[in-house]
């Protein structure tokens, strides 16, 4: 069973600080990785994708990938109250047929 | 507005009934994947349709079935509804099954089984 593991949280971070979200995956053949943001009662929204080892930055968001450790992370700088949401880590399985999701980490930004 | 539309948005059904959920994929996308998301959980893969053929199935019983039409829209049918089927059902479309650009989700259908 291919799995994606995340700490469910909640993770509470003060406004303006850096939020760090982590994810591990079991399928060593996976090549594409995603972070989705999901507000309560809404559908997931793609915010970052990463395919190569290292860091990828997009505005306040940085995704980090380490394939050897099978580890993906998301950093959110200058956290804002609007960042309060559940963040889903997702990977394309090695058969390249579907995206598998973790259970999500609930992030709360406190004023 | 993502271009992926789902209907209905909310639905209440009685245990044992049947339900059909609908999804219109984003223009140009030939792949539709269906997910079930229970409260507090991540989306669980139900099945995927690619060019009108089933292209993979998750760990769901046969009473979950689907179709994809020539215009790439799709239906999810669930027979003999159980209380545990209460969840948010998400449809996602993509250019291909393992699209490296990720999936685009519709707004979902909230199904409540009583």
């Amino acid at each position: 069973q291919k799995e994606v593991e995340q700490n469910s949280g909640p993770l509470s971070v003060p406004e303006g600080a850096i939020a760090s979200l982590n994810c591990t995956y079991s399928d060593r053949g996976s090549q594409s990785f995603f972070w989705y943001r999901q507000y309560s009662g809404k559908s997931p929204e793609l915010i970052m994708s990463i395919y190569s080892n290292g860091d990828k930055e997009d505005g306040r968001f940085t995704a980090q990938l380490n394939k050897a450790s099978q580890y993906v992370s998301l950093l959110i700088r200058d956290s804002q109250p609007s960042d309060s949401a559940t963040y889903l880590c997702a990977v394309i399985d090695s058969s390249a047929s579907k995206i598998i999701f973790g259970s999500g980490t609930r992030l709360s930004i406190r004023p | 507005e993502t271009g992926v539309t789902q209907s209905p948005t909310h639905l209440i059904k009685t245990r044992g009934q049947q339900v059909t959920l609908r999804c219109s994929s984003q223009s140009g996308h030939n792949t539709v994947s269906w997910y079930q998301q229970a409260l507090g959980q991540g989306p669980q893969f139900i099945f995927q349709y690619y060019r009108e053929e089933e292209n993979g199935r998750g760990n769901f019983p046969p009473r979950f079935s689907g179709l994809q039409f020539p215009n790439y829209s799709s239906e999810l049918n669930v027979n003999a509804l159980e209380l545990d089927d209460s969840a948010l059902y998400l449809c996602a479309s993509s250019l291909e099954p393992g699209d490296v650009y990720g999936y685009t989700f519709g707004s979902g259908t909230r199904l409540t089984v009583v």
Side-chain angles (χ1 to χ4, degrees):
Chain A
Q1 177 91 8
K2 298 169 183 175
E3 294 182 345
V4 178
E5 299 285 343
Q6 296 181 255
N7 187 322
S8 62
L11 175 65
S12 181
V13 173
E15 185 174 353
I18 296 175
S20 178
L21 304 164
N22 304 313
C23 168
T24 59
Y25 60 94
S26 64
D27 186 352
R28 187 169 287 278
S30 294
Q31 297 294 324
S32 301
F33 307 87
F34 309 95
W35 285 98
Y36 282 81
R37 177 177 62 199
Q38 186 173 28
Y39 292 113
S40 181
K42 303 296 185 183
S43 61
E45 171 195 12
L46 180 64
I47 56 171
M48 288 289 288
S49 57
I50 188 166
Y51 313 108
S52 304
N53 281 327
D55 296 359
K56 179 182 178 182
E57 186 174 318
D58 184 1
R60 296 187 296 111
F61 298 96
T62 298
Q64 299 175 317
L65 174 61
N66 184 325
K67 290 183 181 179
S69 300
Q70 295 176 242
Y71 178 88
V72 193
S73 65
L74 179 70
L75 300 177
I76 306 174
R77 290 181 300 281
D78 187 24
S79 295
Q80 303 296 310
S82 60
D83 296 326
S84 296
T86 295
Y87 289 80
L88 298 162
C89 176
V91 309
I92 294 181
D93 72 355
S94 55
S95 67
S97 64
K98 64 183 181 291
I99 290 180
I100 302 170
F101 287 86
S103 58
T105 298
R106 192 155 50 96
L107 174 65
S108 175
I109 307 301
R110 59 181 189 270
Chain B
E1 180 62 43
T2 67
V4 181
T5 58
Q6 291 188 245
S7 63
T9 54
H10 295 85
L11 202 53
I12 299 175
K13 287 286 191 177
T14 303
R15 189 171 48 183
Q17 285 189 312
Q18 179 266 343
V19 69
T20 297
L21 310 182
R22 295 180 174 83
C23 171
S24 294
S25 59
Q26 185 168 321
S27 178
H29 286 187
N30 58 26
T31 303
V32 172
S33 304
W34 285 92
Y35 289 82
Q36 180 196 66
Q37 187 175 25
L39 203 60
Q41 301 296 316
Q44 296 296 310
F45 177 75
I46 303 174
F47 46 56
Q48 180 185 83
Y49 280 84
Y50 173 57
R51 295 183 176 181
E52 303 180 58
E53 298 286 331
E54 187 177 289
N55 186 55
R57 188 179 182 90
N59 189 26
F60 280 81
R63 58 191 186 83
F64 286 78
S65 63
L67 282 173
Q68 188 179 32
F69 300 100
N71 65 356
Y72 301 133
S73 65
S74 178
E75 287 183 354
L76 163 65
N77 299 290
V78 187
N79 293 322
L81 284 167
E82 301 178 358
L83 297 179
D84 284 350
D85 296 333
S86 295
L88 179 67
Y89 288 84
L90 296 163
C91 164
S93 77
S94 57
L95 288 168
E96 57 186 20
D99 189 348
V100 297
Y101 296 106
Y103 291 177
T104 302
F105 282 89
S107 56
T109 294
R110 172 73 63 186
L111 173 65
T112 302
V113 182
V114 297

